[in-house]
Amino acid sequence: MALSIAIETVEQVQIVRLIGDIDGATAPEAQAAILPLASPGCKILLDMSGVTYMSSAGLRLLLVVYRSIKGQGGEVILAGLTDDLKDTMEMTGFLDFFQFRDTLAAGLAALL
Amino acid sequence: MERVDAYPTHVIQGYKARPGKPLPFGATFVQGGGVNFSVYSSHATACTLVLFDKGEQQPKAELPFPEDFRIGNVYAMTVFGLDYENIEYGYRMDGPFDTREGHWFDKSKILSDPYAKVLGGRDIWGQQPNWNDPYMHRSRLVFDDFDWGGDKALEIPAEDLVIYEMHVRGFTRHATSGVKFPGTFAAMRQKIPYLKELGVNCVELLPVYEFDEFENSKPSPTTGETLLQYWGYSTVGFFAPKAGYAATGKLGMQADEFKTLVKELHRNGIEVFLDVVFNHTAEGNEQGPYISFRGLDNKTYYMLTPGGYYFNFSGTGNTLNCNNPVVRNMVLDCLRYWAAEYHIDGFRFDLAAILGRDPLGAPLANPPLLETLAFDPILAKCKLVAEAWDAGGLYQVGSFPAYGRWAEWNGKYRDGVRKFLKGEPGMVSEMAQRLQGSPDLYLSRGPTASINFITAHDGFTLMDLVSYNEKHNWANGENNNDGGNDNESWNCGWEGPTDDPGINALRRRQIKNALAMLMVSQGIPMILMGDEVGRTQQGNNNTYCQDNELNWLDWTLLESNADLFRFFKHMIAFRHAHPLLRNRWHFSNRDYVGSGYADITWHGTKAWSADWSDSSRTIAFMLCGKHAHGGAQRDNYLYVAMNVHWEAHWFELPGLPDGMQWHVAVNTGAPSPDDIWQPGQEPLLSDQAGLLVGDRSVVVLVGK
């Protein structure tokens, strides 16, 4: 399944809405879309509620994004992870790095 | 700057490629999005890289290595444009089929890469494989960029370790474990607080290298259920963690899940040892399957008789040719990989005596493999532990080539303590050696050469050791012929479970006695998963094939045997609290700090006079608190009295320095909770001149 990426800005938060699968095939385009948003003090909310599957490459993309944003003193929050995705991230250690919220609204509130 | 070799030079079967690098062996990501494939064979005449889409029965492409891609005996090719995550690869090798000469080449077979970092095909434990699959164990690619944070191997001093030997799946598979994904690395991570509470600081995992649980599977004669290869002492892939032990194995993420477990164990102060099996592989004997080595380079990887048959020093059909220089390097590469890439703290080598045999099976005086491992810079801080015997009759407990590095599973400790525990005569002198870290075996190597254990996966559990005289292995389907007969066990008066309160009380006491002996012994203690809660295998002493309640830890035992768990917890804490029990060097039997007491002194029912006669079943010793760690540390004085006689005995106590008094830390003859006291809360002994040690009981006193 392909991945669609939409970006909007609410106040100073940039919301990246990801819909579809993030795997070896789609991770490069997701990375190309998200990494340019990282800037000093940026606030980025990744809306994961439409992500149905993440492969190993997908998880690595998230960590690269995290490192890049953190490296510039920015903040990133994951919102709306499905239970399956949250389990996978938890068991493979990726979740340890992230702040996450159940809903987009909660994520937005945490960043504002 | 871009590299020139990031560009392909050839097109092979529609894939862009270029000559590869021979090192490292295996499949490696390289610049420009390529994958470098490198594989070795000293006798093959041609090699083909076979590519599959994940899970597909038929290959999607077969890329013969052009002759100019071969360097020496290594076939190396970089292939571009592969979908890393959805590709599986293997090799076809052409060459002679002449078994008398040791050659088994068959180009109809697709072979796993011996350096595969992940293998597909057994992604979910126990899920029936497709038996018609032309390629059962499929090499895959894996990302090796795990984010370890600040983690590294813990490097706990060897003398401070308390090892917990455990099975990843058995630990949490039982329905009572209360975890989300039972039987997995992730579930084990959830149970780390339990290990911490128990107080162990090292887990030794039964094999976690990829193996085939369906190897030799068959129905059980007693229950009809399928008997599986449960223990896993039969390696399919030396570099690949077992996918079936990972909840994320179906997603191919077993490497990340296992690393996350190791990281979390380290964060909790717990080291990770792997039980590694380099003595044989899952390819079996002449009737066995082609998985990898047999078809890649049989004559190099296996020890063969002059007639071309497999030597069977492992008791499982074949024997890995460990002192062939090529195989030796593979073993070294493998261990380096686990130490560097997975932060593993130590390795226990199954049937390690085989690692010291030459290619025709003769024991070597100076085995190159063992020496190489001992002096390797990457493995320099890893603990190396040998199971110092093999199935071919080589028994090296006390004489394993150690190079100042190797420790041993001390089989003589296990047997000696078991005999003493059940009250056999003539055991007091040997017991004194075992309690001191077996200086009779390891005089120049120190007590940490001795891994002390009474039970291990192989044999009875501790509860069964005191509940059965004989093995009861009918469920294994081998007419009760499998498993050892020299168990040195004693059922306390009735074979198996009983309602007799006297027998049950005695069994619990014997369990506590055994643990107390283990925890006051110099050397490195190892306990078996579940012994702390009285786990039983119903008398089965060889549960290698039982993926069921015989092996799974029943977590309700934590309540029903709460007194045992409490005793274990406090006894382990007692060991951690007293450096006197954890000396790096052997006792010298003299006073070298001017305390007026030798570092260790022997006693019995009379102070200062041990009864060493054959009929003696009592022994006591005192450790001088000013001699801990060669006098570098101060500790309390310790006194241990062991009475394995069936009658109580009065033990006269040695006097303490002025101002000190004896306090009771342990008395297995007393009912719980008076059987053991937390460090610092030991009650004062009422009569400082002596005490009555009950029948079959151990008492430990603290002088302070």
Side-chain angles (χ1 to χ4, degrees), chain B residues 278-322:
Chain B
F278 289 111
N279 55 75
H280 71 284
T281 76
E283 292 186 308
N285 62 11
E286 290 76 13
Q287 275 75 51
Y290 279 75
I291 296 172
S292 179
F293 302 111
R294 185 198 301 276
L296 277 177
D297 208 3
N298 189 64
K299 194 169 182 170
T300 296
Y301 285 107
Y302 291 114
M303 289 167 57
L304 300 174
T305 68
Y309 293 98
Y310 293 101
F311 272 120
N312 187 17
F313 296 115
S314 66
T316 55
N318 65 50
T319 310
L320 204 65
N321 194 10
C322 285

Side-chain angles (χ1 to χ4, degrees), chain B residues 378-659:
Chain B
I378 293 173
L379 302 176
K381 305 290 190 217
C382 286
K383 282 88 171 178
L384 303 176
V385 180
E387 185 186 35
W389 55 84
D390 68 21
L394 188 55
Y395 190 80
Q396 297 182 306
V397 171
S399 63
F400 192 80
Y403 306 100
R405 284 277 276 124
W406 286 82
E408 296 172 7
W409 265 28
N410 188 346
K412 292 184 178 174
Y413 182 96
R414 176 196 58 208
D415 300 341
V417 173
R418 285 182 175 197
K419 287 186 209 171
F420 178 71
L421 179 69
K422 66 177 174 169
E424 256 190 40
M427 291 307 300
V428 169
S429 294
E430 181 177 350
M431 194 61 194
Q433 294 293 327
R434 304 297 154 249
L435 289 164
Q436 295 181 84
S438 297
D440 57 334
L441 301 173
Y442 307 113
L443 187 60
S444 62
R445 293 161 63 183
T448 53
S450 179
I451 306 293
N452 298 330
F453 67 105
I454 299 168
T455 53
H457 70 276
D458 199 355
F460 282 139
T461 66
L462 193 49
M463 180 58 91
D464 288 354
L465 186 73
V466 298
S467 305
Y468 295 92
N469 287 347
E470 310 292 338
K471 67 184 182 188
H472 297 264
N473 295 1
W474 295 97
N476 299 345
E478 298 182 40
N479 292 318
N480 207 30
N481 289 322
D482 62 311
N485 295 314
D486 46 352
N487 297 295
E488 303 299 349
S489 61
W490 176 50
N491 67 17
C492 296
W494 181 263
E495 189 76 352
T498 173
D499 293 331
D500 185 315
I503 290 175
N504 284 328
L506 177 55
R507 285 175 177 171
R508 299 181 105 71
R509 203 156 77 239
Q510 288 285 70
I511 287 172
K512 293 174 188 175
N513 291 339
L515 186 76
M517 291 172 192
L518 183 61
M519 287 299 144
V520 300
S521 295
Q522 303 292 322
I524 304 173
M526 181 179 83
I527 60 177
L528 171 64
M529 178 186 97
D531 278 353
E532 72 277 16
V533 289
R535 186 173 76 87
T536 175
Q537 294 171 179
Q538 297 172 27
N540 192 322
N541 75 352
N542 188 33
T543 55
Y544 70 100
C545 56
Q546 303 291 339
D547 181 32
N548 53 42
E549 303 225 351
L550 281 185
N551 272 319
W552 301 340
L553 179 59
D554 176 351
W555 289 79
T556 63
L557 291 171
L558 196 51
E559 292 147 41
S560 48
N561 289 328
D563 62 320
L564 291 181
F565 183 76
R566 179 181 176 277
F567 188 86
F568 270 69
K569 186 168 81 171
H570 290 328
M571 198 68 228
I572 292 169
F574 182 80
R575 182 175 178 85
H576 288 313
H578 293 289
L580 263 184
L581 300 172
R582 296 179 276 116
N583 284 304
R584 174 156 287 194
W585 301 108
H586 288 300
F587 296 116
S588 60
N589 299 295
R590 62 190 176 86
D591 170 20
Y592 54 83
V593 299
S595 64
Y597 294 83
D599 47 6
I600 184 168
T601 50
W602 295 95
H603 311 271
T605 51
K606 288 196 175 62
W608 306 104
S609 171
D611 177 0
W612 301 109
S613 71
D614 267 7
S615 60
S616 169
R617 291 183 178 84
T618 54
I619 186 72
F621 63 93
M622 177 166 70
L623 303 180
C624 166
K626 297 195 175 64
H627 282 86
H629 278 247
Q633 292 186 39
R634 290 295 171 90
D635 196 349
N636 304 133
Y637 283 59
L638 300 178
Y639 171 87
V640 181
M642 301 179 176
N643 174 24
V644 293
H645 195 211
W646 44 89
E647 290 173 7
H649 288 279
W650 181 264
F651 280 63
E652 190 183 278
L653 290 173
L656 283 164
D658 284 348

Side-chain angles (χ1 to χ4, degrees), chain B residues 237-257:
Chain B
F238 289 104
F239 291 77
K242 175 124 191 76
Y245 284 171
T248 58
K250 61 181 186 292
L251 303 169
M253 297 181 188
Q254 56 268 37
D256 285 335
E257 186 175 323

